[in-house]
Amino acid sequence: DLPTSPHISPYLVYSREAEHAAARCGAHTPRLVTMLLGGNDLCNVCSDGGDVSADEYAAKMRPAFETLAAVPRLVVNVPLHADYTQLAGVDWGFFGNLYCDVLLALVCPCMGNWASDLAVARQRVGEYNGKLVELVAEFNGDAHASTRGQGTTFIVQPFAQHTVFSATHLVSDDCFHPSAAGQELLARGLWNNLLQPAGEKASSVEEGEALLCPTADAALS
């Protein structure tokens, strides 16, 4: 089902093991892929020479969409990016804030505690999300009907878009990645989005929010 080129996209590389695993799923089993890519590009949108525009982001994502669209019986989750600029608002205490300001300046400079950079980054997050919505609509549409695998569909999952994760226990000690509690929160949001119909999907999730339970006739959406 998957092409043999080892380099599908600047954002998507697969292994032979993944191809064999997909083959073992059987001829009629739907497969689920979640594709969240480009977050590291947002770390540099305020840097001279490091900025990846929304159009460039879409161009990088397109080969990944094209590759996955050709695989039959595939449900592709496309989560929208969260507002990563919230990282600048996490209050670690006086010394912790000094540490995180220095660390973010090194690993994700545009998400640090600098107002002008945050404004640029926040705008670009919205632009990236807009491109993802456009790509999903395009690859679900008639223009790709002849090349799209049978039963394959792309679904925008907006659970992270307005989720608040600026509490210290939701961010790991590297000041950048979600902690175990943060991962649990995002997983809860994705799970519930999967069971919410199009047009009724939540764009945020809170800790302790009830998990939705699938019914016997439920379909992923």
Side-chain angles (χ1 to χ4, degrees):
D1 291 337
L2 294 173
T4 56
S5 170
H7 300 292
I8 296 172
S9 157
Y11 280 154
L12 183 64
V13 178
Y14 83 98
S15 67
R16 288 289 183 183
E17 289 76 11
E19 183 177 3
H20 296 326
R24 289 195 298 271
C25 287
H28 304 290
T29 304
R31 288 162 284 188
L32 182 66
V33 172
T34 298
M35 181 170 61
L36 177 59
L37 302 164
N40 286 346
D41 285 331
L42 289 165
C43 286
N44 297 301
V45 295
C46 62
S47 305
D48 292 338
D51 183 13
V52 175
S53 71
D55 287 338
E56 290 171 324
Y57 173 65
K60 285 185 175 184
M61 291 296 293
R62 180 171 294 278
F65 273 80
E66 290 172 344
T67 298
L68 293 174
V71 181
R73 305 175 309 281
L74 199 64
V75 176
V76 184
N77 288 320
V78 183
L80 298 184
H81 290 284
D83 178 8
Y84 305 121
T85 64
Q86 294 179 70
L87 292 170
V90 179
D91 187 1
W92 298 92
F94 179 76
F95 291 107
N97 289 339
L98 290 177
Y99 166 77
C100 286
D101 281 350
V102 172
L103 191 59
L104 284 175
L106 295 173
V107 301
C108 193
C110 300
M111 302 299 167
N113 199 16
W114 302 275
S116 60
D117 293 346
L118 291 179
V120 173
R122 191 174 294 115
Q123 177 181 342
R124 195 56 52 82
V125 169
E127 293 173 355
Y128 277 28
N129 283 341
K131 291 298 182 181
L132 290 175
V133 172
E134 291 176 5
L135 284 167
V136 166
E138 176 188 335
F139 279 86
N140 282 338
D142 293 341
H144 293 272
S146 62
T147 57
R148 190 170 56 243
Q150 182 179 8
T152 290
T153 186
F154 293 83
I155 305 173
V156 172
Q157 306 292 13
F159 65 92
Q161 188 176 18
H162 299 123
T163 293
V164 176
F165 58 90
S166 55
T168 55
H169 70 284
L170 297 177
V171 184
S172 67
D173 290 340
D174 68 0
C175 314
F176 181 60
H177 293 97
S179 64
Q183 296 282 7
E184 179 183 349
L185 176 67
L186 296 174
R188 185 179 297 270
L190 176 57
W191 172 265
N192 283 350
N193 263 187
L194 280 167
L195 298 174
Q196 293 164 339
E200 299 180 21
K201 292 181 180 292
S203 62
S204 65
V205 60
E206 297 180 358
E207 290 184 277
E209 187 172 308
L211 288 170
L212 299 180
C213 293
T215 59
D217 58 349
L220 298 181
S221 63

